[in-house]
Amino acid sequence: MKKSKIILIVFAVIILAAVLTNPSSEEHKQAVKSVINQVVQNSISENGSDMEKLGILFGSSLAEKLIENSVTRDNYILFSITKITWQGKSKSIGYGLFGNVFLSEKVNKAFNNDEINSYENTLEAVDTMAVSVDTIATE
C-alpha cells in the first residue's frame, strides 16, 4: 500500500473517532457540575456544624439547577464547545473532544476560590458563585 493511502486511512480513522466520541450536552453539564461538587465537598469537610452542612448541600442543589439551565453545548461534529449564558450574555468556558470535556482554568478558579469556600452563610456563597459565573460570562 502506498504511503499516501496509509496516511489518508489514519486521518479518516482519527476523524471518525472524533465524530463518534464528541461529548454530549449532558457530559458538558456534568463537567461543570463536578467542579461545583468538588467545592461543596471541600466546604462540607471544612465546616463543622450540621446546619452549615445542610445549608451547603442546599446551596449546591441551587447551583446545579443554575447549571442545568445556563450551560449549553455547541456541536461542531468533530468537537463541541461548552457555553454558559448568564443575564443574556453567552461565554465559551470549555470544549469537548474525544470523549472528554476540558473547562477553562477561569472556571476552576471562579468556583474554587477561597472567597466562596470561606462563607458561613450559604446564601452568600451561592450569590458569590453567581457573581463568579457572571464575571466569566461577561469577560
Side-chain angles (χ1 to χ4, degrees):
M1 212 186 269
K2 289 187 177 181
K3 190 175 182 178
S4 61
K5 286 185 181 181
I6 293 172
I7 291 172
L8 186 60
I9 290 171
V10 169
F11 187 66
V13 167
I14 291 171
I15 288 176
L16 182 63
V19 170
L20 294 176
T21 61
N22 190 2
S24 68
S25 181
E26 188 57 38
E27 289 173 301
H28 284 270
K29 289 178 183 181
Q30 190 59 41
V32 178
K33 286 179 185 179
S34 70
V35 172
I36 298 248
N37 288 335
Q38 186 62 43
V39 171
V40 169
Q41 292 301 320
N42 291 343
S43 296
I44 287 175
S45 65
E46 292 172 5
N47 295 319
S49 115
D50 289 338
M51 288 304 287
E52 287 176 350
K53 290 179 182 178
L54 181 63
I56 290 168
L57 291 174
F58 177 71
S60 71
S61 73
L62 288 176
E64 285 196 23
K65 291 290 184 191
L66 172 75
I67 289 168
E68 197 63 40
N69 294 326
S70 61
V71 173
T72 58
R73 173 191 104 160
D74 286 351
N75 186 8
Y76 295 98
I77 310 300
L78 298 176
F79 66 96
S80 49
I81 303 290
T82 310
K83 288 193 170 187
I84 191 163
T85 303
W86 185 257
Q87 296 180 343
K89 296 178 184 174
S90 186
K91 176 72 177 172
S92 298
I93 60 170
Y95 63 94
L97 182 66
F98 292 110
N100 296 299
V101 177
F102 304 96
L103 297 177
S104 166
E105 278 300 310
K106 291 180 183 179
V107 173
N108 293 326
K109 287 179 184 176
F111 286 123
N112 285 318
N113 70 35
D114 290 332
E115 186 179 349
I116 290 172
N117 295 326
S118 68
Y119 283 113
E120 292 178 12
N121 181 338
T122 305
L123 292 177
E124 289 180 43
V126 171
D127 286 343
T128 303
M129 280 184 181
V131 168
S132 295
V133 169
D134 186 36
T135 302
I136 293 166
T138 56
E139 286 182 345

